[in-house]
Amino acid sequence: MAMPAMKRQGLGPLRAFLVLVGISALCSVALGTRRGSTSLDERGHKHRHPGHLSLHRHRQRAGKEGQVLHRSKRGWVWNQFFVIEEYTGPDSVLVGRLHSDADSGVGNIKYILSGEGAGTIFVIDDNTGNIHATKTLDREEQAQYTLTAQAVDRDTNKPLEPPSQFIVKVQDINDNPPEFLHGPYYARVPEMSNVGTSVMQVTATDADDPTYGNSARLVYSILQGQPYFSVEPQTGIIRTALPNMDREARQDYDVVIQAKDMGGHMGGLSGTTQVKITLTDVNDNPPKFPQSVYPMSVSEDKVPGEEVGRLKAKDPDLGDNGMVNYRLIDGDGLGIFELSTDSETREAVIKLKKHVDFETKRSYSLKVEGSNQHLDPQYLAWGPYKDEATIKISVEDADEPPVFVAPSYTFEVEENAPEGTLVGRVHAKDTDVANNPVRYMIPLYTDIEQFFRVNTEDGKITTTRPLDREAQAWHNISVSATEIGGHHQDTKVRVNIKVKDMNDNAPEFGNNNEVLMCETVAPGKDIETVSAVDKDEMAHRQHFTFSLAPEVTHNHNFSLKDNRDSTASIYVLRKGFSRLTQDVYYLPIEINDNGFPAMSSTNTLTIRVCSCDSRDTILSCNVEPYVLPAGLSTGALIAILACIVILLAIVVLFVALRRQKKEPLIVFEEEDIRENIITYDDEGGGEEDTEAFDIATLQNPDGANGFLPRKDMKPELQFSIRPGAGHTAANSVDVDDFIKSRIAEADSDPTAPPYDSIQIYGYEGRGSLAGSLSSLESVTTESDLDYDYLQSWGPRFKKLADLYGTKDSIMNDGDDDDEDS
């Protein structure tokens, strides 16, 4: 610690003394009061301050000369003080001393300190001006404090000079170790990297002052991870230290890096962090088949597409670097087998491409190559990145089904040929060494109507009935051949049978056999051109001829002309056709074909006479009378019909409204027990019957059945039920008050139903202390009960009290009645 540099300013004659605090000693240096006084700089060296005069010396010289010189106030002003951090001594630290030239030492001057930490961290002796630090300071929390000092008159508190501001700096010590703020670190570096390849850079921070000493000067070193990695001491860059590090041998490394302050010297503080380094994969390994020869086998009964076997080349690289492509490069089975790659397992799959035959060839050889698709140019010299293997495939014998000589058969048979006509013959043979005989049959599902049969021994196919080409021109059946004495395996072949056409169908009209003709048609007009069709097979030379039937050859109405192109035209011979006279004419026409044998038929052409306009547009072909019935027109009839429909609709609506029930005034969500007259065949059980009627319904019917709105009125106000009313009434002894309150609530409630509730009980049951309330037998019933309490229920119960009073009163009343009578 050292005294700060001082400079002259015209701020006042306030003089400061800085007390230097060291680790081994604590000393104070007073500022000189004359020109050329000395002080200590920040490095502790003495130096001179020329031209610094104290106010006290100036006053002495003036007194000697007998005159007073007036000058502006000047004093010693400082820039900053220093206090070492983390001081833990028993006494407070003396930071410095303030002194004013006006202080004569008699206690008339009071020193005041203000600013950051004044009064809490820094305190001043108002008499001597000594400033002390009362707390331990931490530079990392606050590096400096700005304070203001002033000297005032102790009695009047008037400032004797302007305030002076100074700074107290907290001097750093090495009390913070380096820290890695972002650890642990994760890094990746390609395998087989060259020595010195940069992996990553780690950086530590030190909270100490980097401008003072070596407290924040860090040096990096590696504690764990040799000899694979190294770290640069000044930058913290981690580099590879060994060549040819192989991921397939070891992939992960745990490296510990240390950062030490004080330049790495003894006594410095240190911090460590962990770096997890992973070697990434490169394509540095070629694929390799575990075996040079792979034996496989396939049965001769396998079908193309079935799997024969699998093989896989191993590549320790990962991802695309370890992906292997396979292909067949040689062998006598290249056309018989094919290769594909399983996308999930990356295996080469050998499949059958064509049928194999044990009797023809019993073994095949293939050569397969596995190679990497993605190559790294940096490691091409380590290649080649491919491998080869040989596959030996043996064909296994199997009991095969018979084989037909032809893959399919096509036969022809004459139409209408008699039963047993030979259609054709199929032939199958056993290709196995045993060469067993074969049995033939026609599966029923291919010939459901059983038009054909096959000889089981020689495969000859014959008909079972005459065939009609017009019903079915082709028959597609299957014939199966089964080996006799083997495993009963069968094979099927398709047999297509065509039915050859015979001219056994007569021709007929090919279009509509009805013609519409106007009444006003002119003689000689062509009214229709007719054609013919034949169900038999139409050959390109087939021809039809037309002629009128013999019975109408000499008719006077129509004639026919054969156009010699398998069509004929119909002409009108006269005029004057009338629908009223005859509306339909029938013209028989004979049609002949040129088949062998020739077939003919007579077809009738219907000619209908129609009413037409002047442009020969047909209006009507129905027979109509000339005169309509006298009376109403068509429009009037439609109007009358509409009126009748409207009247019927009104009647139906009126009847429906009459049948509809009148909607009640109150919408009941549930049945209201207060408006029902309930009749019981079995009388209730009195007070013991707790299910016949719920008293809670009488006390609060709205709570039992919900809110029942009235339709005949809309309530303007909503009256809420008095809290506790039901409970009070239920437990009240005064029945008269209870009934009055319920009546008042009902009268004032606009939402209550406008009807009274009726509950009738013919008998209250046995066991009741009150007995029966019926007035039918009350007079003659002998009872010991006292009903005098009814007198206290008020005038509303006077009649009941008179009926159920004491026996004496009842007898007296009876006597009075006798006397009156």
Side-chain angles (χ1 to χ4, degrees):
M1 304 290 292
M3 182 184 299
M6 303 181 183
K7 59 181 179 178
R8 304 266 311 202
Q9 293 183 358
L11 298 178
L14 187 63
R15 183 168 300 161
F17 295 89
L18 174 64
V19 178
L20 304 180
V21 181
I23 297 177
S24 59
L26 180 66
C27 60
S28 63
V29 178
L31 297 177
T33 59
R34 61 186 179 88
R35 183 171 182 159
S37 62
T38 63
S39 65
L40 297 180
D41 61 9
E42 294 182 0
R43 295 178 176 82
H45 300 292
K46 295 183 178 182
H47 62 278
R48 311 285 298 178
H49 292 276
H52 292 186
L53 299 178
S54 67
L55 182 61
H56 179 69
R57 185 172 179 81
H58 168 73
R59 287 174 179 175
Q60 289 181 347
R61 186 166 46 191
K64 290 180 181 181
E65 295 177 357
Q67 60 180 352
V68 178
L69 300 177
H70 298 279
R71 54 174 291 183
S72 61
K73 293 183 178 180
R74 303 173 70 104
W76 297 100
V77 183
W78 52 93
N79 286 331
Q80 55 190 8
F81 289 161
F82 289 89
V83 178
I84 191 169
E85 69 169 336
E86 305 293 347
Y87 176 72
T88 57
D91 300 326
S92 58
V93 179
L94 178 61
V95 178
R97 181 180 181 185
L98 303 179
H99 184 74
S100 175
D101 290 343
D103 189 359
S104 60
V106 296
N108 61 331
I109 301 297
K110 179 180 179 181
Y111 296 97
I112 300 174
L113 186 67
S114 62
E116 294 179 329
T120 57
I121 299 177
F122 303 101
V123 296
I124 188 171
D125 189 332
D126 59 356
N127 291 320
T128 64
N130 292 334
I131 301 174
H132 290 81
T134 61
K135 294 183 180 181
T136 301
L137 303 182
D138 189 356
R139 189 199 67 84
E140 286 70 37
E141 293 183 0
Q142 187 167 347
Q144 64 182 24
Y145 298 85
T146 302
L147 299 173
T148 302
Q150 190 175 22
V152 300
D153 187 272
R154 184 176 296 274
D155 296 330
T156 63
N157 283 331
K158 292 183 178 180
L160 300 179
E161 56 190 45
S164 299
Q165 190 179 70
F166 63 96
I167 295 175
V168 178
K169 276 195 171 184
V170 182
Q171 192 171 24
D172 183 50
I173 64 172
N174 189 20
D175 60 340
N176 291 279
E179 293 183 357
F180 293 90
L181 301 180
H182 304 290
Y185 297 87
Y186 298 89
R188 300 165 67 89
V189 63
E191 63 172 335
M192 298 297 172
S193 296
N194 296 327
V195 175
T197 301
S198 176
V199 179
M200 73 173 304
Q201 183 178 13
V202 294
T203 303
T205 59
D206 195 321
D208 293 326
D209 189 359
T211 64
Y212 179 78
N214 295 327
S215 299
R217 183 185 172 192
L218 305 181
V219 174
Y220 299 93
S221 61
I222 184 169
L223 300 183
Q224 177 182 322
Q226 298 101 341
Y228 308 102
F229 300 95
S230 63
V231 63
E232 293 184 359
Q234 305 301 326
T235 61
I237 297 177
I238 302 173
R239 300 182 183 274
T240 58
L242 277 183
N244 300 330
M245 286 193 292
D246 191 3
R247 184 201 64 81
E248 287 74 29
R250 181 178 177 183
Q251 181 175 352
D252 298 316
Y253 296 85
D254 291 330
V255 179
V256 178
I257 302 297
Q258 174 185 267
K260 190 173 183 180
D261 60 13
M262 299 299 292
H265 297 299
M266 185 72 68
L269 303 178
S270 63
T272 61
T273 186
Q274 189 175 29
V275 182
K276 295 184 178 295
I277 302 176
T278 301
L279 297 183
T280 59
D281 184 61
V282 297
N283 191 6
D284 59 337
N285 294 280
K288 184 68 176 177
F289 286 104
Q291 303 172 220
S292 59
V293 178
Y294 289 85
M296 298 181 184
S297 62
V298 59
S299 178
E300 64 174 344
D301 59 355
K302 295 295 184 181
V303 297
E306 291 196 36
E307 181 179 322
V308 177
R310 294 185 174 214
L311 69 159
K312 183 178 182 180
K314 293 185 178 180
D315 191 330
D317 294 325
L318 300 178
D320 293 340
N321 295 326
M323 186 176 295
V324 181
N325 290 339
Y326 303 95
R327 66 188 184 100
L328 297 175
I329 59 176
D330 196 9
D332 57 359
L334 291 178
I336 307 299
F337 301 94
E338 60 184 359
L339 184 146
S340 63
T341 303
D342 191 320
S343 59
E344 295 183 359
T345 63
R346 304 305 303 173
E347 293 177 310
V349 182
I350 307 299
K351 294 182 179 181
L352 190 62
K353 186 177 182 181
K354 295 181 180 180
H355 281 285
V356 293
D357 188 6
F358 174 81
E359 290 74 22
T360 304
K361 188 174 177 60
R362 301 188 179 186
S363 65
Y364 295 90
S365 177
L366 294 172
K367 183 173 285 187
V368 61
E369 178 188 82
S371 60
N372 286 139
Q373 181 179 0
H374 303 279
L375 300 180
D376 193 336
Q378 185 177 354
Y379 305 102
L380 286 178
W382 297 17
Y385 288 88
K386 61 182 178 180
D387 193 19
E388 296 178 357
T390 302
I391 304 174
K392 297 291 186 180
I393 302 176
S394 60
V395 180
E396 297 178 347
D397 188 21
D399 187 9
E400 298 176 291
V403 177
F404 283 94
V405 176
S408 64
Y409 295 87
T410 300
F411 302 121
E412 291 183 353
V413 63
E414 295 287 345
E415 183 180 13
N416 299 322
E419 177 184 354
T421 301
L422 178 63
V423 178
R425 180 185 178 186
V426 296
H427 179 64
K429 63 180 180 178
D430 184 12
T431 58
D432 295 328
V433 178
N435 194 17
N436 294 320
V438 176
R439 177 184 294 134
Y440 303 94
M441 65 173 292
I442 298 176
L444 181 60
Y445 66 88
T446 65
D447 186 20
I448 298 177
E449 298 185 22
Q450 299 180 4
F451 290 109
F452 308 94
R453 70 170 62 95
V454 63
N455 190 294
T456 58
E457 295 180 359
D458 57 12
K460 292 182 178 180
I461 302 174
T462 57
T463 61
T464 60
R465 74 191 76 165
L467 303 179
D468 186 5
R469 191 204 67 84
E470 287 70 39
Q472 188 173 350
W474 284 86
H475 295 267
N476 301 316
I477 65 174
S478 295
V479 177
S480 66
T482 305
E483 180 183 346
I484 300 175
H487 292 82
H488 301 288
Q489 299 187 75
D490 65 341
T491 185
K492 297 180 179 63
V493 69
R494 193 72 173 171
V495 179
N496 304 315
I497 302 173
K498 178 182 179 182
V499 181
K500 298 174 65 176
D501 183 45
M502 296 292 293
N503 192 23
D504 58 346
N505 291 280
E508 58 187 13
F509 281 140
N511 48 18
N512 190 10
N513 59 354
E514 182 175 279
V515 179
L516 302 181
M517 182 187 69
C518 292
E519 290 178 313
T520 58
V521 64
K525 182 176 178 56
D526 182 3
I527 62 173
E528 181 69 13
T529 299
V530 295
S531 61
V533 294
D534 196 329
K535 292 182 180 179
D536 294 323
E537 190 172 4
M538 300 290 290
H540 65 282
R541 292 185 178 182
Q542 190 170 17
H543 181 71
F544 300 104
T545 59
F546 300 85
S547 63
L548 293 177
E551 62 270 20
V552 295
T553 303
H554 303 289
N555 76 91
H556 302 288
N557 297 319
F558 306 97
S559 64
L560 181 144
K561 178 184 177 183
D562 192 340
N563 298 325
R564 301 185 182 278
D565 58 354
S566 298
T567 63
S569 299
I570 308 300
Y571 292 91
V572 178
L573 297 179
R574 68 177 180 88
K575 64 178 180 178
F577 292 93
S578 174
R579 288 185 299 161
L580 298 179
T581 304
Q582 184 176 350
D583 61 337
V584 177
Y585 294 86
Y586 298 100
L587 185 65
I589 300 174
E590 185 177 294
I591 308 174
N592 296 272
D593 62 14
N594 61 344
F596 180 82
M599 301 292 293
S600 65
S601 66
T602 301
N603 297 266
T604 301
L605 181 66
T606 302
I607 302 174
R608 189 175 300 275
V609 181
C610 301
S611 175
C612 302
D613 57 12
S614 60
R615 292 178 293 180
D616 292 336
T617 302
I618 297 175
L619 300 178
S620 175
C621 295
N622 297 325
V623 179
E624 294 181 2
Y626 281 109
V627 183
L628 290 175
L632 299 177
S633 63
T634 304
L637 292 175
I638 294 174
I640 294 174
L641 183 60
C643 293
I644 294 173
V645 172
I646 294 173
L647 291 175
L648 289 176
I650 295 174
V651 171
V652 171
L653 181 62
F654 179 75
V655 172
L657 291 177
R658 288 292 300 270
R659 291 182 178 180
Q660 186 179 5
K661 294 182 178 180
K662 185 177 180 181
E663 186 178 3
L665 292 176
I666 302 176
V667 178
F668 288 93
E669 294 180 5
E670 296 180 359
E671 187 178 9
D672 192 353
I673 61 174
R674 297 174 298 170
E675 297 188 22
N676 294 331
I677 300 176
I678 303 173
T679 304
Y680 296 92
D681 293 335
D682 186 11
E683 297 179 352
E687 293 179 354
E688 296 178 355
D689 186 0
T690 59
E691 298 180 356
F693 185 75
D694 187 6
I695 189 63
T697 303
L698 179 63
Q699 296 172 359
N700 188 10
D702 293 339
N705 291 328
F707 177 73
L708 299 177
R710 291 177 56 175
K711 286 189 173 181
D712 57 342
M713 66 177 294
K714 180 179 180 181
E716 297 180 357
L717 298 175
Q718 295 292 338
F719 291 89
S720 59
I721 299 177
R722 293 181 301 168
H727 178 72
T728 304
N731 298 328
S732 177
V733 179
D734 192 351
V735 181
D736 187 24
D737 293 339
F738 165 71
I739 294 176
K740 289 179 179 179
S741 64
R742 297 302 295 170
I743 292 175
E745 289 179 5
D747 293 339
S748 61
D749 187 3
T751 63
Y755 312 110
D756 293 330
S757 298
I758 301 176
Q759 293 289 344
I760 298 177
Y761 292 88
Y763 179 62
E764 281 72 33
R766 300 182 178 87
S768 175
L769 297 177
S772 176
L773 295 179
S774 174
S775 61
L776 298 177
E777 298 179 356
S778 297
V779 179
T780 60
T781 301
E782 296 293 335
S783 177
D784 296 334
L785 296 178
D786 187 7
Y787 296 99
D788 291 339
Y789 63 88
L790 295 176
Q791 300 290 341
S792 62
W793 282 16
R796 290 179 179 271
F797 295 90
K798 184 176 184 305
K799 185 65 175 179
L800 188 63
D802 294 339
L803 293 174
Y804 294 94
T806 60
K807 182 182 291 187
D808 295 339
S809 62
I810 295 174
M811 295 301 294
N812 294 333
D813 292 341
D815 295 340
D816 294 339
D817 294 338
D818 293 338
E819 292 176 0
D820 295 337
S821 60

